[in-house]
Amino acid sequence: MGKKKEKKEINEKVDVEAVEIEDDTWWWLTHKGIGATFLCISVFALLVRVAVSLHPYSGAGSPPKFGDYEAQRHWMEITLNLPVLEWYRNSTGNDLSYWGLDYPPLTAYQSYFHGLFLRFFDPDSVSLFTSRGYETYVGCHSSRKNDCAWHIAMLLLNPCLILIDHGHFQYNCISLGLTVAAIAAILSQRELLASCLFTLALSHKQMSVYYAPAFFSHLLGKCLRRKNPIHGVAKLGLTVLGTFTVVWWPYLHSTDALLGVLSRLAPFERGIYEDYVANFWCTSSVIIKWKRLFSVHSLKFISLTATVLTCLPSMVQQVMAPSSRGFLYGLLNSSFAFYLFSFQVHEKSILLPLLPASLLALEERRPFKWLMFYGLFSMFPLLCRDKLVLPYFALHALFMLLYHAPCGHGGRPRNARPNNTKFDYFDSFKTFMNGFIYLSSFILHIVYLTMHPPEKFPYLFEAIIMLICFYQFALLAFYTNVKQWSLLEHSTTEEEKKLI
């Protein structure tokens, strides 16, 4: 009797535990408090779906019946143009042998409402009898839309910016966003608005000064080509001064107050570099001990001179022949010059060259990918300290997935060489070197995460990463400067003449 009672209690206990486990399993479905987690995972899941949708769909370009894409479109066409009672009937308007509806009515209603939405934007896509095999995207050619979607993804899903602003935790996206708005205003010939927006960017993050030479030289070059250049320069100058005055007004009442703010923005006392950043001063310090050989005052002058001299070729090109493309290359070259040679550069400063590189991504796909890869790699030690290793690899993988999504030109870079046997050996060597560098970088990631450096050289791994990344950044800066100057060899297009 006692054993039966004990067995019954055990069974009841097991049943209760099973219910509790079941309740715990589905707790998230009925309880509050996990909204942020759910939202983050949902957004990521949506991005994965968007990435997949960039690839070809069922039946793309395969007449006569195409595929499921055509079936879904045809059902919208049928439900919009025929009475409800004819949706499932064979008739002169509804050939059931051509993707006839074969799902319950709720699917048909869904097709109807989707069709209403589609007809609002593109009536031809759901026009009865004439829209079979319709594959033209709304508003533009499919390849152009693919390019646009890919480019937007590269801008908005920049892993470096996401990791710094949302992991390391800063607000670089605001100053960079103001800069993008200023660039858009320049390209739209709204120069006064551009000056105002860029001044706001400068007033939000002092690092925006990396772009100042490009804005200055481009606007000056355009003003010099007008009938009254002094008037144009004066308007731009007054716009800049007016914007600065509004933002800085509380600190303009005394020199001490203004200098107090400025001294906080330029922390020269920290020295010419800090941590292991992949710029010239930190990299060369392995051989030349800059902080021991020179005073802070001397280093400020040397750094300023090197930065200005590196910016100068890009600025001269834009003063001589200002153009839209030249301006974007100028932004990239100017920001590279500051990153490589200016005083007290931080790891996150690579975000500045990455912005114009992103804007040029359709034209310079491989250099953009190269810069993104090594930009991420250069921040790896910083992100490891912040315990952001998992987001680092996840966002890197997502970026590579989106980067290799097929564009309108078949995933082939616009500036890729045509098929030509004389380039075979060069391309093979380049592919081998790229693979070797990628493999070396991958191994270095593993080494950094799993091994300890020698006690005598505690920052050995950081130094190796810094050296590799600096070498790549210097090569890219040289390439983009040459590319900007090569614009002078080509005749000015009609579009660029209009911009002037």
Side-chain angles (χ1 to χ4, degrees):
M1 186 73 179
K3 289 184 177 179
K4 289 183 178 179
K5 184 178 180 181
E6 185 179 344
K7 188 175 181 180
K8 182 179 180 181
E9 288 176 353
I10 292 173
N11 289 336
E12 287 177 352
K13 186 178 180 181
V14 170
D15 290 341
V16 169
E17 289 177 349
V19 170
E20 288 178 351
I21 291 171
E22 186 174 350
D23 288 344
D24 288 343
T25 303
W26 302 108
W27 174 88
W28 65 272
L29 197 59
T30 57
H31 290 72
K32 299 179 180 178
I34 59 166
T37 303
F38 181 81
L39 180 61
C40 291
I41 297 174
S42 298
V43 170
F44 183 78
L46 178 62
L47 292 176
V48 172
R49 285 160 172 76
V50 171
V52 173
S53 72
L54 294 174
H55 290 72
Y57 49 81
S58 169
S62 303
K65 293 193 67 174
F66 301 91
D68 279 23
Y69 177 89
E70 170 65 7
Q72 300 292 337
R73 187 212 59 78
H74 181 62
W75 294 346
M76 297 180 206
E77 169 191 0
I78 292 300
T79 54
L80 277 175
N81 293 284
L82 296 178
V84 176
L85 294 178
E86 291 190 29
W87 288 357
Y88 291 88
R89 290 181 182 176
N90 197 54
S91 66
T92 55
N94 185 16
D95 180 5
L96 294 183
S97 64
Y98 185 82
W99 297 118
L101 263 167
D102 52 8
Y103 283 100
L106 194 57
T107 293
Y109 302 150
Q110 170 204 324
S111 297
Y112 174 76
F113 286 109
H114 283 181
L116 288 174
F117 180 80
L118 187 57
R119 185 169 63 183
F120 179 80
F121 292 99
D122 192 11
D124 291 341
S125 65
V126 285
S127 177
L128 195 62
F129 302 122
T130 62
S131 58
R132 289 195 178 186
Y134 193 91
E135 292 184 310
T136 303
Y137 285 102
V138 177
C140 58
H141 191 269
S142 60
S143 63
R144 189 173 179 85
K145 180 174 179 179
N146 280 345
D147 285 350
C148 183
W150 181 86
H151 206 175
I152 291 171
M154 295 299 99
L155 282 166
L156 298 185
L157 294 169
N158 180 331
C160 293
L161 180 58
I162 294 171
L163 286 165
I164 290 296
D165 274 21
H166 303 280
H168 186 73
F169 201 86
Q170 292 192 349
Y171 291 98
N172 297 286
C173 55
I174 296 177
S175 58
L176 292 176
L178 288 168
T179 302
V180 170
I183 294 169
I186 288 279
L187 300 181
S188 302
Q189 301 187 70
R190 299 179 180 179
E191 293 161 12
L192 296 180
L193 176 61
S195 300
C196 176
L197 289 168
F198 182 61
T199 304
L200 291 175
L202 274 172
S203 299
H204 183 266
K205 285 267 187 179
Q206 65 268 35
M207 287 193 309
S208 299
V209 75
Y210 285 29
Y211 301 127
F215 274 92
F216 174 79
S217 58
H218 179 77
L219 291 173
L220 178 62
K222 293 180 76 172
C223 287
L224 292 176
R225 278 158 178 72
R226 291 181 178 142
K227 293 181 180 179
N228 194 342
I230 296 177
H231 180 254
V233 171
K235 285 197 301 182
L236 293 172
L238 288 173
T239 301
V240 170
L241 289 174
T243 307
F244 267 126
T245 300
V246 171
V247 177
W248 289 72
W249 182 254
Y251 308 100
L252 297 180
H253 64 278
S254 73
T255 304
D256 289 341
L258 180 60
L259 291 178
V261 177
L262 293 176
S263 65
R264 292 295 301 152
L265 303 182
F268 293 115
E269 69 279 358
R270 294 182 186 175
I272 195 167
Y273 62 85
E274 190 178 10
D275 289 335
Y276 281 83
V277 61
N279 77 340
F280 173 78
W281 307 114
C282 192
T283 304
S284 60
S285 67
V286 175
I287 300 173
I288 305 171
K289 305 304 177 184
W290 298 101
K291 293 180 180 180
R292 297 178 190 172
L293 293 174
F294 299 95
S295 65
V296 171
H297 180 74
S298 298
L299 287 175
K300 284 193 290 185
F301 177 77
I302 295 170
S303 172
L304 177 63
T305 303
T307 305
V308 171
L309 289 176
T310 313
C311 283
L312 206 55
S314 173
M315 295 177 68
V316 170
Q317 192 276 334
Q318 275 303 278
V319 173
M320 290 174 58
S323 66
S324 301
R325 289 175 64 209
F327 173 57
L328 294 177
Y329 278 103
L331 290 166
L332 179 53
N333 292 322
S334 170
S335 53
F336 258 140
F338 273 83
Y339 179 85
L340 293 173
F341 294 103
S342 65
F343 201 98
Q344 190 56 226
V345 174
H346 192 276
E347 295 99 319
K348 65 177 181 290
S349 299
I350 196 61
L351 294 174
L352 280 296
L354 270 171
L355 175 61
S358 300
L359 297 175
L360 285 164
L362 275 174
E363 183 170 345
E364 300 287 356
R365 285 190 54 158
R366 287 179 180 173
F368 166 65
K369 173 184 159 185
W370 210 241
L371 179 57
M372 185 67 76
F373 179 85
Y374 284 101
L376 269 170
F377 193 27
S378 70
M379 297 192 302
F380 184 60
L382 171 68
L383 297 172
C384 283
R385 292 197 298 270
D386 291 339
K387 297 180 174 61
L388 293 171
V389 175
L390 181 59
Y392 171 89
F393 285 110
L395 286 170
H396 202 161
L398 178 62
F399 169 79
M400 296 304 289
L401 170 69
L402 294 173
Y403 175 86
H404 289 287
C407 293
H409 45 279
R412 178 172 171 265
R414 289 180 180 273
N415 57 346
R417 292 190 184 95
N419 291 330
N420 194 324
T421 53
K422 72 177 182 178
F423 293 120
D424 286 349
Y425 291 112
F426 174 78
D427 287 341
S428 298
F429 175 74
K430 186 170 67 173
T431 301
F432 169 77
M433 289 302 300
N434 290 347
F436 175 76
I437 293 171
Y438 273 125
L439 180 61
S440 302
S441 301
F442 176 75
I443 293 172
L444 197 52
H445 278 93
I446 303 301
V447 168
Y448 190 91
L449 291 172
T450 59
M451 296 178 63
H452 295 287
E455 291 185 9
K456 190 176 179 180
F457 304 104
Y459 299 104
L460 176 64
F461 299 154
E462 285 88 347
I464 294 173
I465 292 173
M466 171 192 68
L467 288 165
I468 292 173
C469 293
F470 169 74
Y471 170 70
Q472 299 299 326
F473 295 156
L475 282 178
L476 284 168
F478 178 77
Y479 167 79
T480 53
N481 270 279
V482 171
K483 193 67 182 285
Q484 182 179 348
W485 271 91
S486 71
L487 298 176
L488 290 175
E489 299 175 5
H490 306 288
S491 59
T492 306
T493 64
E494 291 299 319
E495 180 183 357
E496 290 171 341
K497 288 177 181 176
K498 291 177 184 177
L499 287 172
I500 295 172

